[in-house]
């Protein structure tokens, strides 16, 4: 049985968590393959809103095994808190979580380094989530990182971890209060890492066995294609690869083990943090989308920047991921607008050499060219039938399908698990 990959086609928060939870109904395992506690994946089950940060969204389905891949970065303290809160919600994790022993751990020092980096950038700051993601990847690639498997030898693990804290105190010249805080956080970190090492495994082996015995595996992406460090709006990106290709690397499975690549995209665009956003609405239309769509970050609570759907970037992202089909989410948020705009191409800045597609910082210099489409007034929240959608809503979906060149197989009409239209 081949695996299915789910990725975001925009700047994150496309509704991946809801879709993964939906697809996980009959799955044996759901494996997170990128990012860490910077992610916030919201699932609404029986009216309860649950935000998952490091745990795979499939854990809300009984019997599903959660897997965390090698390319993720893991904060043992917040992961433990997350497991406890999930248990309080009535979804005990118990032995349903296994973590790659190769995963790099987010040491408390990483957050101090990140804060210093961001403030030194001033107006050019990335607007990171403050979860220590960037410095952890930097340390990983400088070959000095701490991995979960290292915690199997407690003495040397604790020594290396404490040294990392001291190195941070020296390098950043931390004041007395911060120094004490970091040492205390490091002690807590060490304890949680030593506890979690019992969950370390060879996830490649775990997944291969499940696939060989015909179990369904969903690979859950975090962030979105436009935040990918290689293909996104660099330097305003995250540090872990988040395109579909990264799933094979992180989970240790070959590309031939994949048959479906599901691209999740909102019916409009949003972005948290800084960086170019050609279709951004900075007027009251943007505010209206933010309020209707409850566009506030699931991790940091920051207001998300909102704008019209960008078909140029969505087509680019669908190509990069090799999306076999897409899901258009939050369509219900667009009800009640007299007309809707979709960016179908850019009027290019002649000074930029576009022999290469520019997704970097200069992307913001292109002017979007919009198609105006008629809106619909009916509330479509919770609709599950394609035929019952207002004609203009169906035409909006079909326009985006044509623009991206990938079939939109499902349309999401509300935050709840069941608010979904399947077109086939
Ligand atoms: P993720 O990071 O891709 O999993 O997405 P987030 O959970 O960060 O953000 C998506 C937000 O939209 C969450 O608040 C979801 O509950 C909500 N959501 C998902 N699908 C829909 C939908 O179709 N309609 C509405 N109104 N909300 C949705
Ligand atoms: P999910 O999985 C939206 C953004 C941050 C910032 C940039 C770098 O919920 O879609 P980082 O802390 O990763 O170094 O921040 O990336 N970012 C996200 N934006 N959704 C996410 O995850 C994000 N994860 C990181 O806002 O602009
Ligand atoms: Mg999110």
């Amino acid at each position: 049985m081949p695996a299915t990959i789910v990725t975001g086609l925009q700047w994150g928060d496309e509704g991946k968590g809801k879709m993964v939870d939906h697809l996980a109904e009959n799955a044996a395992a759901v494996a997170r393959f990128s990012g860490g506690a910077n992610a916030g994946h919201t699932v609404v089950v029986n009216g309860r809103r649950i935000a998952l940060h490091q745990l795979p969204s499939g854990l809300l389905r009984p019997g599903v095994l959660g897997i965390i891949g090698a390319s993720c970065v893991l904060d043992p303290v917040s992961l433990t808190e997350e497991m406890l809160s999930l248990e309080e919600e009535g979804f005990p994790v118990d032995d349903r979580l296994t973590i790659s022993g190769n995963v790099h751990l987010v040491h408390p020092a990483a957050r101090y380094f990140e804060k210093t980096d961001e403030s030194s950038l001033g107006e050019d700051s990335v607007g990171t989530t403050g979860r220590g993601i960037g410095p952890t990847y930097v340390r990983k690639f400088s070959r000095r990182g701490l991995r979960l498997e290292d915690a199997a030898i407690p003495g040397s693990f604790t020594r290396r971890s404490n040294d990392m804290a001291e190195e941070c105190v020296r390098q950043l010249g931390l004041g007395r209060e911060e120094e004490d805080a970091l040492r205390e956080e490091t002690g807590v970190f060490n304890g949680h890492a030593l506890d979690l090492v019992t969950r370390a495994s060879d996830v490649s082996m775990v997944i291969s066995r499940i696939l060989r015995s015909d179990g369904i595996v969903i690979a859950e992406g975090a962030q979105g294609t436009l935040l990918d460090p290689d293909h996104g709006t660099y330097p305003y990106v995250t540090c872990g690869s988040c395109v579909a290709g990264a799933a094979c690397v992180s989970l240790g499975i070959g590309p031939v083990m994949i048959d479906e690549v599901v691209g999740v995209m909102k019916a409009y665009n949003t972005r948290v943090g800084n960086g170019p956003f050609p279709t951004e609405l900075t007027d009251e239309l943007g505010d209206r989308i933010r309020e209707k769509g409850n566009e506030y970050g699931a991790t940091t609570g920051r207001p998300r920047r909102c704008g019209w759907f960008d078909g140029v970037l969505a087509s680019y992202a669908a190509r990069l991921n090799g999306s076999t089909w897409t899901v258009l989410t939050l369509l219900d948020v667009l009800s009640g607008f007299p007309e809707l705009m979709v960016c179908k191409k850019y009027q290019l800045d002649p000074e930029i050499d576009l022999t290469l597609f520019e997704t970097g910082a200069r992307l913001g210099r292109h002017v979007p060219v919009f198609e105006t489409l008629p809106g619909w007034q009916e509330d479509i929240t919770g609709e599950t039938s394609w035929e019952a959608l207002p004609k203009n809503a169906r035409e909006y979906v079909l326009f985006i399908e044509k623009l991206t060149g990938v079939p939109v197989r499902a349309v999401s009409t509300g935050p709840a698990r069941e608010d979904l239209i399947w077109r086939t």
Side-chain angles (χ1 to χ4, degrees):
M1 178 72 85
T4 297
I5 299 176
V6 178
T7 56
L9 298 187
Q10 294 158 329
W11 282 289
D13 303 329
E14 298 90 347
K16 299 175 293 295
K18 172 190 162 158
M19 204 52 211
V20 167
D21 165 72
H22 195 93
L23 293 172
E25 190 175 4
N26 302 310
V30 172
R32 264 285 297 274
F33 66 85
S34 60
N38 49 350
H41 294 183
T42 319
V43 184
V44 177
V45 189
N46 302 328
R48 291 198 337 265
R49 195 182 148 91
I50 297 164
L52 297 136
H53 299 283
Q54 301 188 82
L55 290 171
S57 304
L59 285 169
L60 302 184
R61 299 280 187 182
V64 170
L65 175 71
I67 298 172
I68 297 180
S71 311
C72 294
V73 286
L74 192 81
D75 180 336
V77 181
S78 61
L79 181 79
T80 310
E81 285 165 5
E82 201 177 327
M83 284 195 286
L84 284 174
S85 81
L86 208 57
E87 182 158 358
E88 278 164 18
E89 292 281 357
F91 303 95
V93 176
D94 297 329
D95 57 356
R96 292 189 300 135
L97 179 70
T98 187
I99 307 168
S100 168
N102 296 352
V103 87
H104 280 252
L105 300 177
V106 180
H107 190 277
R111 288 191 294 274
Y112 290 78
F113 282 115
E114 179 172 353
K115 212 166 131 194
T116 308
D117 282 351
E118 280 283 270
S119 49
S120 73
L121 285 168
E123 272 194 359
D124 295 327
S125 71
V126 176
T128 62
T129 58
R131 297 299 186 270
I133 305 297
T136 306
Y137 280 109
V138 168
R139 199 159 179 117
K140 167 180 176 175
F141 290 108
S142 66
R143 295 173 291 196
R144 294 185 306 127
L146 266 184
R147 311 209 297 185
L148 180 60
E149 64 172 15
D150 297 332
I153 307 170
S156 70
F157 179 86
T158 307
R159 208 167 36 250
R160 283 183 58 204
S161 168
N162 294 345
D163 286 350
M164 278 165 77
E166 296 314 316
E167 184 188 314
C168 175
V169 168
R170 276 195 313 278
Q171 278 189 15
L172 299 182
L174 295 184
R176 191 71 218 202
E177 220 169 276
E178 281 189 314
E179 192 179 322
D180 290 345
L182 174 57
R183 287 201 185 107
E184 195 182 324
E185 285 159 18
T186 303
V188 177
F189 164 86
N190 294 346
H192 285 287
L194 297 182
D195 287 346
L196 276 181
V197 77
T198 53
R199 294 184 183 270
S201 68
D202 173 349
V203 303
S204 164
M205 181 72 86
V206 173
I207 294 176
S208 301
R209 282 198 180 131
I210 296 172
L211 294 176
R212 261 202 313 257
S213 58
D214 279 345
I216 295 175
V217 175
I218 315 280
E220 175 178 4
Q223 290 74 57
T225 305
L226 304 173
L227 288 170
D228 183 88
D230 294 304
H231 302 287
T233 48
Y234 188 89
Y236 299 98
V237 293
T238 188
C239 289
S241 299
C242 40
V243 292
C248 291
V249 176
S250 182
L251 303 177
I253 51 176
V256 291
M257 303 306 284
I258 310 296
D259 71 340
E260 304 267 31
V261 180
V262 182
V264 186
M265 53 190 187
K266 279 182 183 171
Y268 46 92
N269 271 71
T270 63
R271 166 160 217 172
V272 213
N274 301 326
F277 184 171
T279 60
E280 182 169 13
L281 289 163
T282 49
D283 55 8
E284 79 274 3
L285 271 176
D287 295 342
R288 193 166 155 197
I289 294 179
R290 185 176 310 105
E291 293 317 311
K292 266 201 88 181
N294 188 27
E295 292 294 358
Y296 294 89
T299 297
T300 57
R302 288 180 291 177
R304 295 176 183 148
R305 298 156 65 191
C306 299
W308 296 122
F309 185 87
D310 190 326
V312 178
L313 292 179
S315 313
Y316 168 78
R319 166 162 60 79
L320 276 164
N321 286 280
S323 307
T324 50
W325 53 277
T326 62
V327 188
L328 196 68
T329 59
L330 294 112
L331 189 66
D332 51 299
V333 173
L334 296 184
S335 292
F337 285 81
E339 49 189 30
L340 301 166
M341 315 257 271
V342 172
C343 168
K344 55 182 181 182
K345 59 180 181 182
Y346 293 151
Q347 190 186 319
L348 304 175
D349 184 327
E351 283 177 22
I352 298 178
D353 174 8
L354 266 169
T355 45
L356 289 174
F357 186 86
E358 282 264 356
T359 50
R362 293 192 300 177
L363 175 71
R365 279 166 53 185
H366 299 318
V367 180
V369 178
F370 289 105
E371 177 87 14
T372 304
L373 297 160
W376 60 91
Q377 301 313 307
E378 299 87 333
D379 180 9
I380 59 166
T381 308
E383 187 53 70
T384 54
S385 150
W386 172 249
E387 285 72 29
L389 280 183
K391 181 169 162 287
N392 288 350
R394 273 181 280 141
E395 280 178 0
Y396 184 79
V397 176
L398 293 175
F399 186 83
I400 287 176
E401 179 172 80
K402 198 160 167 224
L403 204 57
T404 52
V406 183
V408 178
R409 262 182 67 187
V411 177
S412 177
T413 55
R417 190 182 251 181
E418 54 279 3
D419 300 339
L420 195 76
I421 297 172
W422 282 103
R423 287 183 57 209
T424 46

